[in-house]
Amino acid sequence: MSQVRNILDLSMDEKRNFLNSFDFMMTDCDGVLWNLIDPIPGTGAALRDVEAAGKRVIYVSNNSVCPDSVYERKIKSIGATYRQEDLVHPIHTIIYYLKKIKCRDLIYFIGSDHTKNILSSAGFNVICGPTEKFDADFRKLVAAVKDNQPVKYVIWDVDLNYSYPQFLRAELYLRDPKCQLILGATDYRVPIVSGFDLPGPGYLMDALEAALPPGKKPIILGKPGIELGEILMEKYAISDPQRVLFVGDMLHPDIKLATNNGFQSLLVLTGATTRKQMLSSEDSTVIPDFYADSIAAISKLIQSLPIQSSL
Ligand SMILES: [Mg+2]
């Protein structure tokens, strides 16, 4: 049983130290700022209060299926500030990475049409498929999936239509030692409504990784990837990861992202994780530094401090 403290149970000095301990607040969105249908009360005010205290707020989601225009509408609807440059999700990070390495190679992409179009529009050479169905005919299957294209990157993000032929094609490309696997969202659970979730893409990605040649490791550009953490540090010119507070509602990938990259972490109980689940976790890599019933508790914490001492 882990011991994690609620930020509102801290002493006045501890609250002040907590607030002064970070310059960047990175926050997940689904389950922290809003749930599937409605905004979570007080979240916009909390983000405004954090910014008024001199912190930079950055939105870090694993949901690339949701268009940026929807993020903009939702963030504005809760009364918070939307800045395109401060919205991070896997397809953005993937493009950042590919531009950084000056990728001109052929990419095999498994993901939604929406994210595939973003990748193609950014100028990358992307192929997908196959999309046809195969009955019990391995000859046809192999003929369709083994196209011998010179793919150097297999990129896998969320797709609601994953198929065995896609899996096979990815594995065949990855037999080339020069072909690299890049993963986006690796979530194991996908919350739908309170008390009901679905298995996420992480299980399928683990299966592909298990089929790869020994020692071949993916680059993970969604949460909880170390490579995502490195990009966040670089993009926002962060020199000390301890000056980052990551706020999330899931142990994996949110808290694990923080642990993987040396960020502080705050678990909020408005989403996928209960207090009981948090306290009963045996995995030290997903135990948060603090928890709160909601991100709105940060407003209460700030307002509880004398004005001078919160600066
Ligand atoms: Mg979430």
Side-chain angles (χ1 to χ4, degrees):
M1 179 76 72
S2 62
Q3 297 294 324
V4 184
R5 297 183 71 190
N6 187 316
I7 56 170
L8 294 183
D9 290 338
L10 301 176
S11 70
M12 200 59 80
D13 279 348
E14 288 171 331
K15 286 179 180 172
R16 189 165 46 242
N17 290 340
F18 168 76
L19 189 61
N20 289 336
S21 70
F22 61 94
D23 304 312
F24 295 84
M25 189 175 85
M26 297 186 184
T27 180
D28 178 38
C29 297
D30 298 317
V32 177
L33 304 181
W34 50 73
N35 57 36
L36 199 65
I37 299 170
D38 295 314
I40 294 167
T43 56
L47 299 183
R48 290 198 305 273
D49 288 345
V50 168
E51 288 188 323
K55 324 293 183 181
R56 183 166 179 180
V57 172
I58 298 164
Y59 306 95
V60 184
S61 173
N62 257 3
N63 185 350
S64 288
V65 177
C66 179
D68 287 4
S69 58
V70 174
Y71 279 103
E72 179 174 6
R73 177 171 54 76
K74 285 183 155 183
I75 289 169
K76 286 180 175 174
S77 77
I78 61 171
T81 307
Y82 176 81
R83 291 176 297 270
Q84 173 71 44
E85 66 271 23
D86 290 342
L87 172 64
V88 178
H89 53 69
I91 197 63
H92 288 318
T93 321
I94 288 165
I95 289 172
Y96 181 100
Y97 177 81
L98 294 174
K99 286 183 174 174
K100 184 180 171 183
I101 63 171
K102 298 182 170 53
C103 175
R104 296 285 178 269
D105 299 304
L106 188 59
I107 294 166
Y108 175 56
F109 184 70
I110 302 173
S112 67
D113 288 347
H114 168 67
T115 46
K116 187 258 182 184
N117 291 338
I118 293 173
L119 200 54
S120 297
S121 298
F124 297 104
N125 192 7
V126 182
I127 59 172
C128 298
T131 55
E132 62 262 45
K133 289 191 71 175
F134 300 91
D135 290 326
D137 186 337
F138 270 86
R139 186 189 300 264
K140 276 189 183 173
L141 176 65
V142 171
V145 299
K146 194 173 187 318
D147 62 1
N148 298 311
Q149 292 260 38
V151 166
K152 288 294 173 281
Y153 294 93
V154 170
I155 301 180
W156 192 352
D157 192 39
V158 173
D159 184 353
L160 301 188
N161 299 283
Y162 291 132
S163 74
Y164 183 58
Q166 287 178 323
F167 185 96
L168 291 184
R169 185 175 272 181
E171 195 274 343
L172 287 168
Y173 291 139
L174 288 162
R175 292 185 188 187
D176 176 354
K178 292 180 181 162
C179 185
Q180 174 67 53
L181 176 60
I182 294 175
L183 301 178
T186 60
D187 301 42
Y188 289 108
R189 306 305 303 178
V190 179
I192 301 298
V193 294
S194 180
F196 178 68
D197 61 12
L198 298 174
Y203 293 109
L204 303 175
M205 292 167 173
D206 282 355
L208 178 62
E209 197 177 340
L212 297 182
K216 192 154 193 164
K217 293 289 174 196
I219 293 170
I220 302 176
L221 295 178
K223 297 177 288 186
I226 291 172
E227 296 87 354
L228 168 61
E230 290 169 352
I231 287 175
L232 289 169
M233 297 279 289
E234 181 179 276
K235 180 175 179 182
Y236 297 106
I238 299 167
S239 55
D240 181 0
Q242 271 289 302
R243 301 292 301 171
V244 176
L245 176 69
F246 196 91
V247 184
D249 69 308
M250 297 181 80
L251 300 179
H252 177 105
D254 295 321
I255 304 307
K256 194 163 181 105
L257 172 82
T259 308
N260 277 347
N261 293 284
F263 304 156
Q264 298 185 72
S265 60
L266 170 66
L267 184 83
V268 293
L269 304 180
T270 43
T273 309
T274 64
R275 183 171 178 275
K276 185 178 177 187
Q277 287 170 328
M278 173 188 75
L279 294 175
S280 62
S281 175
E282 300 286 336
D283 179 355
S284 64
T285 68
V286 296
I287 295 175
D289 295 310
F290 302 98
Y291 83 96
D293 290 340
S294 160
I295 198 172
I298 293 182
S299 287
K300 285 186 185 170
L301 183 147
I302 291 172
Q303 287 157 16
S304 73
L305 294 171
I307 289 173
Q308 300 88 334
S309 62
S310 68
L311 298 176

